[in-house]
Amino acid sequence: MNEKYYIKFKDNDIPKYIQIYQYFKKNIDRGIINEGDKLPTIRQLSKDLAVNKITIINAYNRLEEEGYLYQKMGSGTYARRKNSLKMIKKQYSETFKNLNRQKLKNYIDFTGETISNSFFPVDIFRKILNDVLKRDGIDALTYQDFLGFEGLRKSIIRYFWQSRFKKDDVLIVSGAQQGIDIIAKGLINNNDNIVVEKPTYSGALAVFNWKKTNIFEIEVEPDGMNLESLEYLLRKKKIRFIYLMTYFQNPTTVTYGIDKKLKLLELAQKYEFYIIEDDYLSELIYDESIEYRSLKSLDRYDKVIYIKSFSKLFLPGIRLGYVIVPDKFKESIENAKINSDISTSSLMQRALELYLNTGHWVKHMEFLKSEYNLRYNYMKKQLYEKLNDFIEFCEPGGGLNFFIKLKENVNISSMELFQKCKANKVLITPGGLFYKDYTEGNKFFRISFSQTDNESISTGITVIYNILSQSIK
Amino acid sequence: MNEKYYIKFKDNDIPKYIQIYQYFKKNIDRGIINEGDKLPTIRQLSKDLAVNKITIINAYNRLEEEGYLYQKMGSGTYARRKNSLKMIKKQYSETFKNLNRQKLKNYIDFTGETISNSFFPVDIFRKILNDVLKRDGIDALTYQDFLGFEGLRKSIIRYFWQSRFKKDDVLIVSGAQQGIDIIAKGLINNNDNIVVEKPTYSGALAVFNWKKTNIFEIEVEPDGMNLESLEYLLRKKKIRFIYLMTYFQNPTTVTYGIDKKLKLLELAQKYEFYIIEDDYLSELIYDESIEYRSLKSLDRYDKVIYIKSFSKLFLPGIRLGYVIVPDKFKESIENAKINSDISTSSLMQRALELYLNTGHWVKHMEFLKSEYNLRYNYMKKQLYEKLNDFIEFCEPGGGLNFFIKLKENVNISSMELFQKCKANKVLITPGGLFYKDYTEGNKFFRISFSQTDNESISTGITVIYNILSQSIK
């Protein structure tokens, strides 16, 4: 058989069929074996490698299960090149497409990115909606100013920016995802060079990929992006935008230090790029040593495009957020918004405004902070107690997630861990989703305590323990 | 002075300053005179053309007013190339940005594209919202299935498609504009060849321009797009998509004949392109000889991408619509939706579903049809009575608009007419907005009776009469 399928068995502790499986997987992932390449027959390969046929069958079965090869009737076995990120995203998202709400209730869901519904004050909100309809009548349901409902924009400036900006600086959008989308549409061109954190939010990666930009990833350290690597890149390439999350970065949970923030702004000025700051969950700070100072609030050079979501903290079904962009970009962004969906749903903007102005928002955030602080500490304790032999993580000090690294002794990829957890009715988020090349996320996964009470946190982490303790080298 | 500024005065009935103005305007629009080209001094040009200086000053003033030239202090006069569609769109849209709701009330607004707020049953809708919140509780406000709320998708299939499709064929979007946007994002590539009607909806043109497609315009005739021109083009170019509106096309108000619809589907099959059908106001048919048969309902080849808006007929502040796409496009479109804004506001989907299922939708449409039929007939009568000497139009037989052609004897562009109407507190939509080259719309404008009662229709058309009667050659 072909030279390239010669496999040298190195490790006597790993079954041969696993070594064969790994060999093909690695070579297909790296493009050494290409889509559609014919693989040797079982008989041929067992002869070449001097192993039992059943060993080859086991290896091929596992490859087929994972989508790395396929059979053509009467013709043989062929390699399938898995389109890295796209493939893994598909496998992951189909889990949720196939689990409707009813089925999802039987799972322990560590994948949540938003506040649990159980914390939402439905009755207060129903009253607010009625008050809005009584107060504004038909106006509540019709188009408003193209920037969004004026009252909400005023309240945002007053509550969140101490009137540092003007109401017309704010553009209301249908959630942070739309913010990223219209920024890409209005400001970014094909082939622009864009920097993202490594790893980063997959929804942003998808938009930048779609826009056919050149994406450069810069490693995230415990206090934010590695600025030496960044400046090295800035000297070599004309970078137009950097997309980042300053608080509890998704997925790493890292928060930027003040020095890094100031340095980033200086770099933006020096190298003439703009920073897209996705302000993600910064309301949920549990560690009192963490101070809230957004990049936008520190920005003396008008270099920051600021995106804020209300959906994550308030209610995911209410698609609301806003952006504040440098003056020179305003018109482009406004046009991109109009061409995307004309404007954001009117009633919900008015409801949020009243919710802010009647003091409910502040009270609700205090409540969420204290509840999630408890869950945060409980999950942290569980992770240390049960998984200490298998994992490492940095304590985020806020937010809704932990980002976990599998230790060297653990012999399982996070995608396999995801599959095994799923089979045991526990859902986690595999790290591959957050990298351009998904294999770089093999050692990482994210778990969230947003949807789980202490009991399910305990049960779920025990499930993970059982799987990991069977995966030790 | 330069040879290219030699102007031959042809028509003794047109003042010389107008002929000079027209000469420069035409040559700047056509790019014969370029952005930044220096124009002769007043003195020089008056000498060259052997006309009075005041004639040149009048011509230059008008050109400057319209943005065709600008002065540099101490340096002279320079040409400005107007970026056709973009410029005219800006002038038009800034009218609305600068007129807030309060100011707009002092205008007679013939630009409306949606049902008047005064027809909306606020009290019924408030009750519906409360019923939804009581029935569904927190579920009403949270994420639903990624395709949109299942109950609404079921109702759409039942009421509008007699169960010809399945609920999972429907993807809920935040209005028709988002429908066009995600189709462009999910299916269309840079440099794809796209056909649109000439003229067509400016919001669609903007999206296709953004996507950097090659846009081909095919003239609209009284029964739809000219299919000879289309087939001629199809033989020469590989066309991927045709975007069209089958009922009361925007802006021409033309409705496709059944023969054209069937022929279009045959062409789609033969030349392997897809048709994006924007089903626009088809509920408002006043002429009983017009039968409702969407292209999608006639489509045997799975060649039609169907877009429906609820915002225009129901309430513009409720951003709701849906798309049904051929099976092979489903996954791409769903991903484009997720990357655009995750999902559409949950509560409004449930409210619309209940509104449909309690019979309110059907009753409301009947009511709207009878009210707008009255306005339609009234405006038609007014147009014939007052403007017969100046204009021509085809009777649409439905919808909310008339598309007006200025007769040859009228010496005013529709953009000038727009400006003069605006000065008299009447708003119309100039034709230029609907063409790739806005000058092709100079002879056309659109007037809508959606926001105007009979009294304002009468007053507004008298204003137009006064302007046009002063613009006769």
Side-chain angles (χ1 to χ4, degrees):
Chain A
M1 198 54 215
N2 198 321
E3 165 70 18
K4 66 179 171 185
Y5 298 124
Y6 175 73
I7 298 164
K8 198 173 161 197
F9 297 107
K10 295 171 196 166
D11 192 332
N12 288 329
D13 292 329
I14 303 177
K16 282 187 178 160
Y17 87 93
I18 292 286
Q19 294 190 52
I20 297 169
Y21 150 82
Q22 286 171 336
Y23 172 86
F24 280 101
K25 181 177 180 305
K26 199 168 72 181
N27 283 288
I28 292 171
D29 277 337
R30 292 183 179 170
I32 293 166
I33 301 175
N34 286 313
E35 165 87 34
D37 279 0
K38 192 170 181 179
L39 300 192
T41 60
I42 290 161
R43 173 189 217 154
Q44 183 68 45
L45 193 59
S46 83
K47 214 174 111 195
D48 289 351
L49 301 179
V51 298
N52 204 307
K53 273 194 213 162
I54 194 72
T55 306
I56 307 296
I57 290 171
N58 284 338
Y60 274 20
N61 276 347
R62 179 143 178 195
L63 286 164
E64 188 168 25
E65 254 170 50
E66 287 185 33
Y68 281 95
L69 56 80
Y70 60 100
Q71 312 283 340
K72 266 195 219 163
M73 197 71 83
S75 159
T77 304
Y78 295 83
R80 171 177 282 143
R81 178 113 171 82
K82 299 181 46 153
N83 184 352
S84 59
L85 189 58
K86 201 170 163 186
M87 200 68 167
I88 200 172
K89 274 190 74 171
K90 201 172 158 182
Q91 277 184 51
Y92 179 70
S93 66
E94 272 174 5
T95 300
F96 297 93
K97 287 187 187 175
N98 296 333
L99 289 175
N100 60 30
R101 179 187 302 265
Q102 212 45 50
K103 285 190 201 146
L104 206 54
K105 277 183 182 149
N106 303 321
Y107 283 72
I108 292 171
D109 184 6
F110 287 144
T111 67
E113 307 205 21
T114 55
I115 297 299
S116 168
N117 292 344
S118 61
F119 289 142
F120 189 76
V122 189
D123 291 333
I124 292 176
F125 195 71
R126 187 189 303 154
K127 190 179 172 312
I128 294 256
L129 277 178
N130 275 294
D131 290 349
V132 167
L133 285 164
K134 266 178 229 153
R135 183 188 73 183
D136 301 343
I138 183 73
D139 284 353
L141 299 160
T142 49
Y143 278 145
Q144 58 286 313
D145 191 323
F146 70 103
L147 291 171
F149 175 52
E150 191 180 34
L152 178 59
R153 290 184 285 118
K154 279 184 185 163
S155 302
I156 286 169
I157 293 304
R158 193 162 60 240
Y159 288 108
F160 303 122
W161 296 97
Q162 291 75 48
S163 301
R164 191 185 138 171
F165 293 100
K166 294 185 297 292
K167 67 177 166 53
D168 289 353
D169 294 330
V170 174
L171 173 68
I172 305 292
V173 295
S174 309
Q177 184 69 36
Q178 185 179 63
I180 298 168
D181 184 56
I182 64 172
I183 287 162
K185 210 183 274 170
L187 307 181
I188 299 179
N189 300 312
N190 287 10
N191 292 317
D192 275 355
N193 295 324
I194 309 282
V195 167
V196 299
E197 293 158 314
K198 179 181 184 176
T200 191
Y201 168 51
S202 58
L205 271 183
V207 171
F208 299 141
N209 270 323
W210 226 313
K211 195 71 199 180
K212 299 198 171 34
T213 60
N214 305 314
I215 300 174
F216 298 88
E217 295 173 294
I218 299 284
E219 206 79 43
V220 174
E221 300 173 328
D223 64 342
M225 194 179 267
N226 181 320
L227 295 192
E228 286 73 44
S229 307
L230 177 63
E231 197 164 2
Y232 180 77
L233 176 68
L234 290 168
R235 276 194 294 263
K236 287 196 309 179
K237 294 268 181 192
K238 176 64 196 156
I239 299 296
R240 282 203 64 212
F241 294 95
I242 296 188
Y243 169 80
L244 52 76
M245 289 157 273
T246 35
Y247 284 82
F248 317 123
Q249 200 261 1
N250 185 12
T252 62
T253 76
V254 156
T255 292
Y256 278 69
I258 183 76
D259 293 347
K260 272 212 172 158
K261 283 190 276 200
L262 293 171
K263 176 75 178 162
L264 260 169
L265 293 168
E266 295 302 325
L267 290 174
Q269 176 70 358
K270 182 171 173 192
Y271 292 96
E272 297 181 322
F273 60 85
Y274 289 86
I275 302 171
I276 303 167
E277 180 182 28
D278 190 348
D279 189 3
Y280 176 70
L281 295 182
S282 60
E283 284 78 358
L284 298 180
I285 297 176
Y286 317 129
D287 176 345
E288 286 176 6
S289 72
I290 299 177
E291 193 196 357
Y292 177 60
R293 293 300 301 277
S294 64
L295 262 183
K296 185 73 186 168
S297 70
L298 298 164
D299 176 22
R300 292 183 300 138
Y301 306 118
D302 213 14
K303 284 293 188 184
V304 177
I305 296 166
Y306 178 85
I307 308 177
K308 181 75 200 170
S309 162
F310 291 117
S311 306
K312 291 184 187 67
L313 285 159
F314 194 43
L315 258 191
I318 297 177
R319 304 300 308 152
L320 278 181
Y322 69 95
V323 298
I324 300 179
V325 304
D327 278 341
K328 61 182 283 199
F329 292 147
K330 272 182 169 180
E331 194 181 326
S332 301
I333 289 290
E334 288 161 18
N335 288 336
K337 168 65 180 165
I338 290 169
N339 284 319
S340 294
D341 67 352
I342 314 282
S343 71
T344 291
S345 188
S346 170
L347 180 61
M348 289 304 168
Q349 294 189 52
R350 288 166 195 263
L352 179 58
E353 179 250 337
L354 200 59
Y355 196 80
L356 278 165
N357 283 329
T358 46
H360 284 105
W361 175 270
V362 171
K363 258 166 51 192
H364 190 52
M365 285 306 128
E366 284 305 317
F367 167 71
L368 289 179
K369 217 164 114 171
S370 75
E371 286 293 321
Y372 278 116
N373 196 354
L374 296 173
R375 290 191 184 184
Y376 168 77
N377 284 313
Y378 186 77
M379 185 180 260
K380 193 169 74 178
K381 200 161 147 264
Q382 288 278 311
L383 290 171
Y384 281 130
E385 282 177 13
K386 294 183 182 161
L387 303 184
N388 212 23
D389 292 345
F390 314 111
I391 66 163
E392 295 162 14
F393 63 94
C394 291
E395 297 185 12
L400 297 170
N401 306 297
F402 287 87
F403 192 58
I404 309 290
K405 182 177 183 181
L406 294 167
K407 284 187 179 170
E408 286 303 317
N409 62 330
V410 180
N411 188 31
I412 188 171
S413 78
S414 60
M415 198 63 201
E416 291 166 312
L417 180 61
F418 165 73
Q419 301 287 9
K420 287 194 175 167
C421 282
K422 199 174 109 182
N424 287 283
K425 300 231 181 307
V426 172
L427 299 172
I428 61 164
T429 308
L433 285 179
F434 305 102
Y435 293 83
K436 263 172 70 181
D437 171 3
Y438 84 96
T439 58
E440 297 197 68
N442 276 346
K443 283 278 159 201
F444 299 93
F445 64 97
R446 190 187 68 187
I447 50 174
S448 158
F449 46 90
S450 74
Q451 305 296 327
T452 45
D453 58 18
N454 287 355
E455 197 189 325
S456 16
I457 289 173
S458 170
T459 315
I461 290 182
T462 301
V463 166
I464 297 175
Y465 167 81
N466 288 334
I467 296 166
L468 291 181
S469 58
Q470 287 160 27
S471 311
I472 290 299
K473 277 181 191 166
Chain B
M1 198 57 214
N2 199 320
E3 166 69 19
K4 66 180 170 184
Y5 299 126
Y6 175 73
I7 299 164
K8 199 173 161 196
F9 298 107
K10 295 173 195 163
D11 192 334
N12 288 329
D13 293 330
I14 302 178
K16 282 186 178 159
Y17 85 92
I18 292 285
Q19 294 192 52
I20 297 170
Y21 151 81
Q22 286 171 336
Y23 173 85
F24 280 103
K25 182 176 179 306
K26 199 169 71 182
N27 283 288
I28 293 171
D29 278 337
R30 291 183 180 169
I32 293 165
I33 301 174
N34 285 312
E35 166 87 34
D37 279 0
K38 192 170 179 178
L39 300 192
T41 61
I42 289 160
R43 173 189 217 153
Q44 183 69 48
L45 192 59
S46 82
K47 217 175 110 193
D48 289 353
L49 300 180
V51 297
N52 204 307
K53 273 192 213 165
I54 194 73
T55 306
I56 308 297
I57 290 170
N58 283 340
Y60 274 19
N61 277 347
R62 181 146 178 193
L63 287 163
E64 189 169 24
E65 255 169 48
E66 287 185 34
Y68 281 96
L69 56 80
Y70 61 99
Q71 310 285 340
K72 267 195 217 164
M73 197 70 83
S75 159
T77 304
Y78 294 85
R80 172 177 282 141
R81 178 115 170 81
K82 301 184 42 156
N83 184 351
S84 58
L85 188 59
K86 202 171 163 186
M87 198 70 165
I88 201 172
K89 273 190 75 171
K90 202 173 156 181
Q91 277 183 53
Y92 180 72
S93 65
E94 273 175 4
T95 300
F96 296 93
K97 286 188 186 175
N98 297 331
L99 291 175
N100 60 30
R101 178 187 302 265
Q102 212 45 48
K103 286 190 199 146
L104 206 55
K105 277 183 181 150
N106 302 320
Y107 284 72
I108 292 170
D109 185 5
F110 287 145
T111 67
E113 306 205 20
T114 55
I115 297 297
S116 168
N117 292 344
S118 61
F119 289 143
F120 189 75
V122 189
D123 291 333
I124 291 176
F125 196 70
R126 187 188 306 154
K127 190 178 172 311
I128 294 258
L129 277 178
N130 275 294
D131 289 349
V132 167
L133 285 165
K134 266 179 229 152
R135 183 189 71 183
D136 301 344
I138 184 73
D139 285 353
L141 299 160
T142 49
Y143 279 145
Q144 57 286 314
D145 191 324
F146 70 103
L147 291 171
F149 174 53
E150 190 180 35
L152 177 59
R153 290 184 284 118
K154 279 185 185 162
S155 302
I156 285 169
I157 293 305
R158 192 161 62 239
Y159 288 108
F160 304 123
W161 295 98
Q162 290 77 45
S163 303
R164 187 182 143 175
F165 294 99
K166 294 185 298 294
K167 68 178 166 52
D168 290 352
D169 294 330
V170 173
L171 173 67
I172 305 292
V173 294
S174 309
Q177 183 69 35
Q178 186 179 64
I180 298 169
D181 185 56
I182 63 171
I183 286 161
K185 210 181 275 171
L187 307 181
I188 300 179
N189 299 313
N190 287 9
N191 292 317
D192 274 355
N193 295 326
I194 310 282
V195 168
V196 300
E197 293 158 314
K198 179 181 184 176
T200 191
Y201 168 50
S202 57
L205 271 183
V207 171
F208 298 142
N209 270 323
W210 226 313
K211 196 70 198 182
K212 299 200 168 38
T213 59
N214 306 313
I215 301 173
F216 298 87
E217 295 172 294
I218 299 284
E219 206 79 43
V220 174
E221 301 173 328
D223 64 342
M225 195 178 266
N226 181 319
L227 295 192
E228 286 73 42
S229 306
L230 176 64
E231 196 162 5
Y232 180 77
L233 176 68
L234 290 168
R235 275 194 294 263
K236 286 197 309 177
K237 294 270 180 191
K238 176 65 195 155
I239 300 296
R240 282 203 64 212
F241 294 95
I242 297 187
Y243 168 80
L244 52 76
M245 289 157 273
T246 34
Y247 284 81
F248 317 122
Q249 199 260 4
N250 185 11
T252 62
T253 74
V254 155
T255 292
Y256 278 69
I258 183 75
D259 293 347
K260 273 214 170 155
K261 284 190 275 198
L262 293 173
K263 175 77 177 158
L264 259 168
L265 293 169
E266 295 301 327
L267 290 174
Q269 177 70 357
K270 181 170 173 193
Y271 291 97
E272 297 180 323
F273 60 85
Y274 289 87
I275 302 171
I276 304 167
E277 179 181 30
D278 189 348
D279 189 3
Y280 177 70
L281 295 181
S282 59
E283 285 78 358
L284 299 180
I285 297 176
Y286 317 129
D287 176 346
E288 286 175 8
S289 73
I290 300 176
E291 194 196 358
Y292 177 61
R293 293 298 302 275
S294 64
L295 262 182
K296 185 74 186 167
S297 70
L298 298 164
D299 176 22
R300 292 184 298 140
Y301 306 116
D302 213 14
K303 283 293 188 186
V304 176
I305 296 166
Y306 178 85
I307 308 177
K308 181 75 200 170
S309 163
F310 291 117
S311 306
K312 290 185 187 68
L313 285 159
F314 194 42
L315 257 192
I318 297 175
R319 304 299 309 152
L320 278 181
Y322 69 95
V323 298
I324 300 178
V325 304
D327 277 341
K328 62 183 279 201
F329 292 146
K330 272 184 169 178
E331 193 181 328
S332 300
I333 288 290
E334 289 162 16
N335 288 335
K337 167 65 179 165
I338 290 170
N339 284 318
S340 293
D341 66 352
I342 314 282
S343 71
T344 291
S345 189
S346 169
L347 180 61
M348 289 303 169
Q349 295 188 51
R350 289 166 194 262
L352 179 58
E353 178 251 338
L354 200 58
Y355 196 80
L356 279 165
N357 284 329
T358 47
H360 284 104
W361 174 271
V362 171
K363 256 165 56 189
H364 190 51
M365 286 305 128
E366 285 303 320
F367 166 72
L368 288 177
K369 217 163 112 171
S370 76
E371 286 293 321
Y372 277 116
N373 196 354
L374 296 173
R375 290 191 184 186
Y376 168 78
N377 285 313
Y378 186 78
M379 187 180 257
K380 192 169 76 179
K381 201 160 146 265
Q382 287 278 311
L383 289 171
Y384 282 131
E385 281 177 14
K386 293 182 180 160
L387 303 184
N388 212 23
D389 291 347
F390 314 110
I391 66 162
E392 295 163 13
F393 62 94
C394 291
E395 297 185 12
L400 298 169
N401 305 297
F402 287 88
F403 192 58
I404 308 291
K405 183 177 182 181
L406 295 166
K407 284 187 178 171
E408 285 303 317
N409 61 331
V410 180
N411 187 30
I412 190 171
S413 78
S414 61
M415 198 62 200
E416 292 166 313
L417 180 62
F418 166 72
Q419 300 288 8
K420 287 192 177 171
C421 281
K422 198 174 109 182
N424 287 283
K425 299 230 180 311
V426 172
L427 299 173
I428 61 163
T429 307
L433 285 179
F434 305 102
Y435 293 83
K436 261 173 72 182
D437 172 3
Y438 83 97
T439 59
E440 296 197 69
N442 277 345
K443 285 277 159 202
F444 299 93
F445 65 98
R446 189 187 69 188
I447 49 175
S448 158
F449 47 90
S450 73
Q451 304 296 326
T452 46
D453 57 19
N454 286 356
E455 197 189 324
S456 14
I457 289 173
S458 170
T459 314
I461 289 181
T462 300
V463 166
I464 297 173
Y465 166 81
N466 289 332
I467 296 166
L468 291 181
S469 59
Q470 287 161 26
S471 312
I472 289 300
K473 278 183 190 166

